[in-house]
Amino acid sequence: ILNVEQSPQSLHVQEGDSTNFTCSFPSSNFYALHWYRWETAKSPEALFVMTLNGDEKKKGRISATLNTKEGYSYLYIKGSQPEDSATYLCASYNAGNMLTFGGGTRLMVKP
Amino acid sequence: EPEVTQTPSHQVTQMGQEVILRCVPISNHLYFYWYRQILGQKVEFLVSFYNNEISEKSEIFDDQFSVERPDGSNFTLKIRSTKLEDSAMYFCASSDPGEGKQETQYFGPGTRLLVL
């Protein structure tokens, strides 16, 4: 059974603060790492799919890095806004045709 | 922008009853998935479906579960005889076949199932 872990579980920041959180995943038989942003009562929204060691991806104020050798990915949000409040999920594709999800980081941005 | 839709948004059922959860994937996608999230736990993979057959399933997906693509647009998950522990949010997702595991999976908003 694969174990994907995210930390912290929850995070409260002030508007304008930059923040980051971590996803750790098994490095063996690794294929891809997916990040999603999930607001309550909405569909999880795909942010990034990352495959190569050293990958960096950016979407607006959100960026992510990938280290496949040590099995971790960081998600960064620059200048957090209240609309960034959501749960951020990572999911790893290792051997087997299935995504294994972490428990998510719940971000709350106070105005 | 195309999106995955799911119906119903909420369903309450009695233990032992059959339920069918419905999904309309994005129209040109060929891979379809079901996931669930029990309250307070991680999102868990149930099953993937391609070319009218199951391509992968997890240990959770036992004989009580089945999936079907009854027509060109719908993708359904049937739970034959619901148990209390089937109470969860069920998500459908779909993806383009282009790059396999690197392809983004697009999720629907989920169906909240409550078994009493």
Side-chain angles (χ1 to χ4, degrees):
Chain A
I1 298 174
L2 298 176
N3 208 19
V4 178
E5 297 295 338
Q6 291 185 247
S7 62
Q9 273 190 311
S10 66
L11 194 54
H12 293 248
V13 301
Q14 285 295 137
E15 182 175 357
D17 286 351
S18 293
T19 187
N20 66 84
F21 22 94
T22 308
C23 171
S24 63
F25 55 88
S27 54
S28 60
N29 299 311
F30 171 82
Y31 290 105
L33 194 283
H34 296 236
W35 278 102
Y36 288 88
R37 178 176 177 278
W38 184 21
E39 287 184 71
T40 305
K42 294 188 178 178
S43 305
E45 174 199 350
L47 291 174
F48 306 114
V49 179
M50 308 173 77
T51 57
L52 298 175
N53 187 44
D55 252 355
E56 287 189 35
K57 294 219 172 174
K58 191 173 178 190
K59 188 175 182 177
R61 293 178 292 98
I62 305 176
S63 60
T65 60
L66 182 68
N67 182 321
T68 61
K69 294 185 178 179
E70 294 178 46
Y72 64 84
S73 175
Y74 292 133
L75 190 82
Y76 300 90
I77 303 178
K78 187 176 175 184
S80 304
Q81 299 296 308
E83 58 265 29
D84 295 329
S85 297
T87 296
Y88 291 82
L89 294 169
C90 70
S92 178
Y93 243 130
N94 294 69
N97 191 29
M98 60 182 78
L99 279 177
T100 302
F101 279 82
T105 292
R106 190 172 171 218
L107 174 68
M108 282 153 283
V109 183
K110 294 181 229 178
Chain B
E1 188 175 320
E3 57 183 20
V4 176
T5 59
Q6 290 184 244
T7 53
S9 58
H10 294 79
Q11 178 143 5
V12 181
T13 191
Q14 294 290 324
M15 194 168 59
Q17 294 296 304
E18 175 184 285
V19 294
I20 297 176
L21 309 183
R22 290 184 166 79
C23 169
V24 179
I26 293 173
S27 62
N28 62 335
H29 285 180
L30 297 179
Y31 278 97
F32 313 113
Y33 311 84
W34 284 102
Y35 294 84
R36 77 173 186 191
Q37 187 187 35
I38 295 170
L39 194 63
Q41 297 185 24
K42 294 178 180 179
V43 174
E44 301 171 292
F45 170 82
L46 293 177
V47 66
S48 59
F49 191 87
Y50 173 71
N51 202 24
N52 279 322
E53 60 184 27
I54 290 173
S55 52
E56 195 75 43
K57 61 181 181 178
S58 71
E59 290 173 358
I60 303 166
F61 194 88
D62 61 22
D63 292 344
Q64 292 299 314
F65 291 90
S66 62
V67 289
E68 197 179 25
R69 188 149 162 85
D71 52 43
S73 58
N74 289 284
F75 179 52
T76 61
L77 175 70
K78 183 194 288 187
I79 309 174
R80 230 176 303 279
S81 175
T82 49
K83 300 178 251 203
L84 296 176
E85 54 265 36
D86 294 327
S87 296
M89 179 76 93
Y90 287 81
F91 290 101
C92 172
S94 70
S95 67
D96 194 281
E99 294 185 40
K101 296 170 173 68
Q102 300 174 35
E103 278 299 321
T104 297
Q105 292 186 21
Y106 293 87
F107 280 73
T111 293
R112 170 77 66 193
L113 176 66
L114 179 60
V115 182
L116 300 175

